[in-house]
Amino acid sequence: MKHFLDIADFTSEEIQGLLTLATRLKAEQKRGESRPLLKGKVLAMVFQKPSLRTRVSFDMAMRDLAGDALYLSPNEIGLGKRESIADIARVLSGYVQVVMARVFDHQHILELAKWSSVPVINGLSDYNHPCQAMADALTIYEEFGSLKGRNVSYIGDGNNVAVSLMKAVTKLGANFRIANPKGYDMPQGDIELGKEIARENAGSVTLLREPQAAAEGADVIYTDTWTSMGQEEEAKKREAVFPPYQINDDLLKLAKPTAIVMHCLPAHRGQEITDAVADGPQSRLFPQAENRMHAQKAILVDLLLGGDPDDVK
Ligand code: CP
Ligand code: NVA
């Protein structure tokens, strides 16, 4: 059983293969030539947290490929509350062909995958956000033609988005830099893993405190919210620590003139990113959001059809 839970579970070749497939599926959709690759397949979308992009992009990904999706809100299922995760996984497996879940505790997605007899996709946990990272890699790939040797600088909280982004871009040979305040580091185990992935793929991982040092010479400047879902009670404390990490015109000037700005969204304008940068010529925020759909089409096709349908076997 193949699931999509963590970028680290996939080889560089597999990640590259998914990007190639995503690029092809995107082009087909743009030409109005999408194929009914997922006809008869239904995706269950289980949410413990709010969502715009994940919900709509997965739904539209399924529709584009002639499949269907159903949304199960936080109140409906009560994952682990109304019913055990093991039972939910086995029940859903009898109805649908694939499950996507957005959870608080990463253990819950692992538990779902353990008991499910259909593929499970991680639509964000407190630990990581691998679907986002695939869309991010696709966006960088489209911009520069390759990630090899590109400087991808993440500035802000060492959170779920940072962890997955690091793994995806280093798998593809980029140099990942992160600047975050003390006390907001990525988990130590992931930092070690990121460094190992980078070594294997001629990239690098650099840990910094100064946002300026990360921005210097960057090809990509990436940021995310200072306070993730589930951390709301820390918001005030975080708002006092993170302002030096704002992506604004002064910081962006330090990057290469060809640099692009990325944000997984939702954005807190005036906090981690200014309006001028989010809406400026270097922003790729909205193409990046659109790419969620294309990247996820590739993930869905790969899981449901057992690989790239156009590969000669
Ligand atoms: N980037 C992202 O996952 O957005 P949503 O929370 O709206 O799904
Ligand atoms: N780090 C953010 C990402 C939202 C898509 C969160 O977990 O809330």
Side-chain angles (χ1 to χ4, degrees):
M1 173 57 54
K2 209 164 138 194
H3 301 295
F4 191 83
L5 305 178
D6 192 322
I7 296 290
D9 298 339
F10 297 84
T11 64
S12 298
E13 291 69 30
E14 286 169 330
I15 299 291
Q16 184 57 58
L18 285 172
L19 291 187
T20 306
L21 177 56
T23 304
R24 201 180 323 128
L25 296 174
K26 179 173 179 176
E28 286 171 11
Q29 184 175 2
K30 297 281 178 198
R31 292 198 304 268
E33 293 173 4
S34 298
R35 291 173 282 166
L37 293 169
L38 301 184
K39 197 171 167 54
K41 312 279 189 201
V42 179
L43 167 72
M45 306 190 290
V46 178
F47 283 91
Q48 284 187 326
K49 294 175 178 173
S51 169
L52 170 64
R53 279 144 292 271
T54 303
R55 177 180 176 177
V56 180
S57 61
F58 265 106
D59 195 337
M60 296 310 293
M62 288 303 291
R63 292 187 201 199
D64 180 54
L65 300 172
D68 217 333
L70 46 99
Y71 170 69
L72 298 157
S73 76
N75 302 331
E76 258 155 327
I77 289 209
L79 202 74
K81 292 195 185 103
R82 180 170 184 262
E83 200 166 353
S84 80
I85 294 172
D87 287 358
I88 290 171
R90 286 173 290 181
V91 169
L92 281 176
S93 297
Y95 297 142
V96 300
Q97 287 68 47
V98 53
V99 175
M100 185 277 296
R102 164 168 287 192
V103 299
F104 283 101
D105 184 346
H106 189 68
Q107 288 308 316
H108 291 174
I109 194 91
L110 298 180
E111 179 81 358
L112 203 56
K114 180 180 163 196
W115 291 97
S116 174
S117 55
V118 301
V120 172
I121 300 173
N122 177 357
L124 178 146
S125 74
D126 58 354
Y127 166 61
N128 64 359
H129 198 358
C131 293
Q132 182 66 52
M134 290 306 299
D136 300 341
L138 178 60
T139 308
I140 302 169
Y141 174 74
E142 286 177 339
E143 187 73 29
F144 298 110
S146 164
L147 278 82
K148 287 196 175 64
R150 293 291 168 185
N151 300 324
V152 178
S153 294
Y154 179 100
I155 295 170
D157 186 18
N159 64 14
N160 46 5
V161 168
V163 162
S164 289
L165 180 70
M166 171 182 67
K167 291 177 189 171
V169 303
T170 51
K171 286 242 176 221
L172 297 166
N175 303 312
F176 179 79
R177 302 183 200 154
I178 180 167
N180 61 272
K182 204 160 177 264
Y184 297 92
D185 295 340
M186 296 184 292
Q188 194 53 41
D190 290 281
I191 293 174
E192 296 312 321
L193 182 57
K195 287 183 174 170
E196 199 182 307
I197 295 171
R199 260 196 309 277
E200 287 165 4
N201 293 285
S204 61
V205 170
T206 308
L207 310 175
L208 301 158
R209 292 278 177 241
E210 290 293 315
Q212 290 77 12
E216 194 85 50
D219 292 295
V220 176
I221 303 256
Y222 197 120
T223 191
D224 183 18
T225 183
W226 297 336
T227 304
S228 286
M229 292 180 276
Q231 300 173 330
E232 289 76 11
E233 74 290 351
E234 292 177 30
K236 280 274 159 303
K237 189 176 126 204
R238 287 167 172 266
E239 278 164 31
V241 172
F242 277 96
Y245 293 80
Q246 182 187 68
I247 310 300
N248 52 35
D249 284 325
D250 286 342
L251 199 67
L252 187 52
K253 276 198 200 102
L254 301 172
K256 289 185 188 165
T258 50
I260 60 169
V261 175
M262 298 177 68
H263 188 313
C264 62
L265 302 177
H268 304 80
R269 288 161 174 262
Q271 292 195 3
E272 74 271 8
I273 193 164
T274 58
D275 282 332
V277 171
D279 300 325
Q282 287 165 279
S283 168
R284 295 295 179 274
L285 269 51
F286 301 108
Q288 179 187 1
E290 181 189 325
N291 277 340
R292 287 292 302 275
M293 177 173 65
H294 303 299
Q296 288 157 196
K297 284 190 292 189
I299 295 165
L300 288 160
V301 165
D302 183 70
L303 292 176
L304 288 166
L305 303 187
D308 186 332
D310 303 317
D311 272 355
V312 182
K313 299 253 159 47

